[in-house]
Amino acid sequence: MTKIPMQPADSSPAVDTRINPSNSNSEQGAMQANSKTNLLGMSQAQLGEFFKQLGEKPFRATQVMKWIYQHGVTDFEQMTNLSKGLRDKLTQQACVEPPEVVHKEFSDDGTRKWVFKVAGGSLVETVLIPADDSKVNGRKTLCISSQVGCALDCSFCSTGKQGFERDLTAAEIIGQLWVANASYMQDTDNAEWQNEVTNVVMMGMGEPLLNYKPVVASMSLMLSDHAYGLSKRRVTLSTSGVVPKMYDLYKDIDVALAISLHAPNDELRNELVPINKKYPLSELITAAKAYVHDNNPRHKKHVTIEYVMLAGVNDSDEHAHQLVALLEDLPSKINLIPFNPFPHAPYERSSNNRIHAFSNILNNAGFVCTIRQTRGDDIDAACGQLVGQVADRTRRSAKWQQSIQQRQQQQLADQD
Ligand code: SAH
Ligand code: SF4
């Protein structure tokens, strides 16, 4: 593991104007930063409107988007196809400000983690995971956070145990991708800017469908040819099952969908993924089918089903058979995720033998089933380990601490 100390803001202007800008985000962290308008995270339409108000033509929007997202330029003076007058105006009135990086770590397996301090002081995390074969130009997947904490309290998730503080803004969401790409120049010997990230998954902290507009705006920039131009199959939104928003999603944007299922029946899912009490499996599967089968010519071929493997809880042969029956009519690929433990978690990871036996049942029933390789263990960068630091507005972390204390007292009493 390599821990990389952050440099003081003025030690290396070429790097720091990009990575650790001196301006801090406003309290809302929205488009205003220190009374300047933060252009990061603005859609093409919003930028067009901004330039219109400056008395400029809307095509300036695409020019500026290319500078920001394809060349990593945040200093308007370097945007050489803009007139000097416009560059001066932008310098006075606008900025391009990603969230502040306070810590970063590189794992021996190539995984990288960034910790951001967002407006309000909370910490959120982003992880870059290279494909196993580690080819120089191979797949590099960035796992992005959408909220500070999460209100949904899934029983096996450390983010859920911290409670919820606030939604991230579009600037803070797309800023995570921007910073990860900046790392190519900053942390390697490369002199040229290159967008290194090939795939994005909205699988960091938070429930993306509960922060709908900024998430969709950010994913639009990921897909836009004027920004990152990623293929729609390489941008994945993962949800625990916010059913009404799933219906909105396929009308608004064409991305891959992953569903955090984790249990094949309502009784168990109510326990593991409490939002199931509001939107039970029948409604969730119907919404997933609509996402796959919609008549839109842009239709998706399958959804990815995520299933965390918890020893003795959801990993029996019977559970696998129930899963086969549940997913019978839903074109899906199943991804089994070995549980990533966190301090005081009430679960253990299923054994490798159990995971393979479970996977065999799914394979034999005709499903494509993969077992997620846990990466970045040495820097706590695996799924469900994106801990961050959340000023809990739901008082969940206090309740969690209380339940840990009760469990410890019970264990002591049992020993007596
Ligand atoms: N809120 C969204 C996206 C973030 S969670 C969702 O729930 O889908 C990303 C994935 O990590 C989800 O599939 C989630 O269930 C899984 N996850 C959370 N905690 C985990 C843990 N401790 N071990 C393994 N996977 C975990
Ligand atoms: Fe929230 Fe997803 Fe964690 Fe559940 S698994 S608590 S929805 S981040």
Side-chain angles (χ1 to χ4, degrees), residues 92-306:
Q92 281 161 16
Q93 299 184 28
C95 62
V96 180
E97 191 175 279
E100 182 189 0
V101 178
V102 289
H103 182 70
K104 52 185 168 174
E105 288 179 37
F106 288 9
S107 160
D108 297 336
D109 68 12
T111 305
R112 293 180 220 167
K113 177 168 90 171
W114 292 266
V115 181
F116 296 91
K117 189 163 161 191
V118 294
S122 288
L123 303 181
V124 290
E125 296 179 12
T126 304
V127 178
L128 182 73
I129 306 160
D132 303 340
D133 52 15
S134 297
K135 278 189 227 140
V136 178
N137 291 317
R139 178 158 46 93
K140 293 201 177 75
T141 303
L142 191 70
C143 181
I144 288 187
S145 296
S146 56
Q147 296 182 311
V148 185
C150 182
L152 295 186
D153 198 20
C154 298
S155 59
F156 52 86
C157 174
S158 66
T159 304
K161 293 298 153 210
Q162 293 178 72
F164 172 73
E165 187 186 338
R166 71 167 172 84
D167 290 329
L168 292 179
T169 63
E172 290 164 340
I173 297 169
I174 202 71
Q176 296 168 57
L177 176 54
W178 193 93
V179 167
N181 279 323
S183 174
Y184 182 76
M185 257 178 91
Q186 192 202 18
D187 302 316
T188 65
D189 295 333
N190 293 288
E192 298 274 306
W193 179 275
Q194 181 186 308
N195 284 337
E196 217 188 347
V197 176
T198 59
N199 295 56
V200 174
V201 290
M202 300 298 304
M203 290 186 190
M205 294 174 86
E207 168 48 56
L209 290 186
L210 289 182
N211 184 19
Y212 190 78
K213 278 191 176 168
V215 164
V216 170
S218 304
M219 292 192 306
S220 304
L221 288 169
M222 293 169 200
L223 301 184
S224 165
D225 284 342
H226 303 305
Y228 289 110
L230 294 177
S231 133
K232 60 191 178 184
R233 278 178 220 89
R234 291 170 174 240
V235 176
T236 302
L237 182 142
S238 172
T239 180
S240 56
V242 186
V243 166
K245 291 291 177 196
M246 287 167 67
Y247 287 101
D248 290 345
L249 190 67
Y250 77 70
K251 292 187 199 114
D252 290 339
I253 192 159
D254 192 10
V255 291
L257 182 68
I259 294 176
S260 294
L261 198 71
H262 308 312
N265 62 64
D266 280 320
E267 196 187 351
L268 184 55
R269 196 163 192 268
N270 286 347
E271 201 186 297
L272 302 180
V273 187
I275 196 175
N276 194 69
K277 292 179 201 154
K278 197 164 181 187
Y279 306 116
L281 279 171
S282 58
E283 292 182 27
L284 178 57
I285 299 297
T286 305
K289 282 181 189 161
Y291 199 85
V292 176
H293 291 307
D294 76 78
N295 290 326
N296 191 319
R298 306 174 306 166
H299 76 276
K300 328 286 169 305
K301 290 195 182 68
H302 70 272
V303 291
T304 300
I305 298 293
E306 294 163 280

